Amino acid sequence: MSATRFTYLGPEGTFTEAALRTLPEAATRELVPMVSVPAALDAVRAGEAAAALVPIENSVEGGVTATLDELASGEPLMIYREVLLPIAFALLVRPGTQLSEVKTVTGHPVAQPQVRNWLRNNLPDALWESAASNADGARLVQEGRYDAAFAGEFAAATYGLVPLVSEIHDAENAETRFVLVGRPARPSAPTGADKTSVVIWLGDDHPGALLELLQEFAVRGVNLMLIQSRPTGAGIGNYCFAVDAEGHIADRRVGEALMGLKRICPKVRFLGSYPRAGVTADDVRPLRAGTSDVEFTAASDWLARCQDGRA
């Protein structure tokens, strides 16, 4: 395995590259752009890279389906870090282009919902076509394929473009969450401000099936931060669920919730427990009564005494 190489959704100049460069360890790694999320993750599976940084969630559009589907299928991988990056777009054009001359625009599909209102108000007749990434859209503008691309302003210099309009976003404080993914190993130690990600498959479709899954978390006081259904490919109505939960697999409440899911589900894929970006233990809400590790241990000890006739 190449321990000195990180891959990311490329080409150069993507928001993913900008997010990756915020990690201290990125300064000592070779950063290799890949043409797609699957290509970036497959390089890790093949041992050609130690880790890959890929987008997984956007505060406007929700989950990035390409990443969720890749993590749910194929050889297992694990999330070790997450990065939150504020997102604002620039309309990048070739030098000399005027706004009235922009007839075709491009960008990543996830970008479109974040600039839809701006497009309607400023370029109502422009034709949108999706690109593999925002930076790839900038490259296509450089080649003359499109008139303009929505990308990070930092990508302009890389592709010989100029920002015609900056700070474009329909939603204030828009963010994208990225995850650093590697081969499965022991999770890092709990920090008190952690997140656990899993993918859960339903055993069969019946009334209350999803509720049964959610109760495994609820009765143990585990808060869910994301739940998104994804088709399994086995036919209409067959779904799995990507779930992010507060806490660490080493926390008794989280560990027991996962064991409960494993008992009732045909398949549960553990995607990792890792520190939450931008959150410390002081920021985490107090646990509900009866859900701390101390209380779980006390209940377990009580049960043992009952079984031994010492209650």
Side-chain angles (χ1 to χ4, degrees):
M1 176 182 294
S2 177
T4 63
R5 180 178 298 161
F6 284 175
T7 56
Y8 65 91
L9 175 61
E12 293 182 14
T14 58
F15 285 110
T16 309
E17 181 188 11
L20 179 55
R21 291 188 181 279
T22 68
L23 297 179
E25 55 265 48
T28 60
R29 302 296 199 278
E30 177 190 3
L31 307 185
V32 181
M34 306 298 284
V35 297
S36 65
V37 167
L41 296 178
D42 283 345
V44 179
R45 290 186 171 110
E48 298 168 359
L53 194 83
V54 291
I56 196 169
E57 182 185 4
N58 178 265
S59 61
V60 175
E61 185 67 358
V64 178
T65 56
T67 299
L68 294 173
D69 291 347
E70 276 296 310
L71 292 177
S73 61
E75 186 180 343
L77 295 169
M78 227 170 87
I79 299 171
Y80 290 94
R81 293 278 298 274
E82 69 173 9
V83 178
L84 294 178
L85 188 73
I87 301 296
F89 294 92
L91 187 69
L92 304 186
V93 299
R94 293 181 294 278
T97 302
Q98 303 299 313
L99 190 62
S100 60
E101 299 172 324
V102 175
K103 305 302 180 185
T104 56
V105 295
T106 188
H108 191 275
V110 174
Q112 188 178 21
Q114 301 178 64
V115 300
R116 184 182 292 123
N117 292 334
W118 189 93
L119 268 173
R120 182 185 302 118
N121 294 330
N122 296 275
L123 292 170
D125 298 322
L127 174 66
W128 169 284
E129 290 194 23
S130 294
S133 68
N134 296 310
D136 191 55
R139 179 185 62 81
L140 295 173
V141 171
Q142 180 190 44
E143 294 176 356
R145 302 265 298 275
Y146 300 97
D147 297 325
F150 286 99
E153 187 167 345
F154 48 79
T158 301
Y159 295 99
L161 305 177
V162 295
L164 188 59
V165 184
S166 300
E167 292 297 317
I168 300 172
H169 43 67
D170 290 350
E172 294 289 338
N173 304 315
E175 291 182 309
T176 294
R177 181 166 72 100
F178 302 83
V179 287
L180 187 68
V181 179
R183 300 291 292 274
R186 181 181 294 274
S188 58
T191 67
D194 301 291
K195 180 182 295 183
T196 293
S197 297
V198 293
V199 182
I200 308 162
W201 280 257
L202 288 176
D204 61 87
D205 186 17
H206 62 269
L210 178 58
L211 178 61
E212 292 169 5
L213 305 186
L214 299 180
Q215 284 177 331
E216 295 295 334
F217 294 104
V219 298
R220 296 172 177 89
V222 179
N223 185 48
L224 298 187
M225 308 177 72
L226 177 146
I227 178 166
Q228 179 160 334
S229 63
R230 294 298 304 150
T232 64
I236 296 295
N238 288 278
Y239 292 93
C240 61
F241 296 88
V243 173
D244 288 344
E246 283 186 339
H248 194 282
I249 193 173
D251 299 333
R252 289 288 295 271
R253 66 188 185 281
V254 177
E256 291 202 9
L258 297 184
M259 285 193 294
L261 291 169
K262 186 62 179 175
R263 289 196 303 270
I264 65 174
C265 298
K267 183 178 178 182
V268 179
R269 175 169 284 196
F270 174 64
L271 296 181
S273 290
Y274 47 93
R276 291 170 58 186
V279 178
T280 68
D282 293 337
D283 301 320
V284 177
R285 68 170 62 86
L287 295 177
R288 194 180 76 197
T291 63
S292 70
D293 279 7
V294 171
E295 290 161 315
F296 268 96
T297 300
S300 179
D301 291 344
W302 172 83
L303 180 62
R305 291 196 303 273
C306 291
Q307 291 170 333
D308 292 343
R310 297 183 288 112

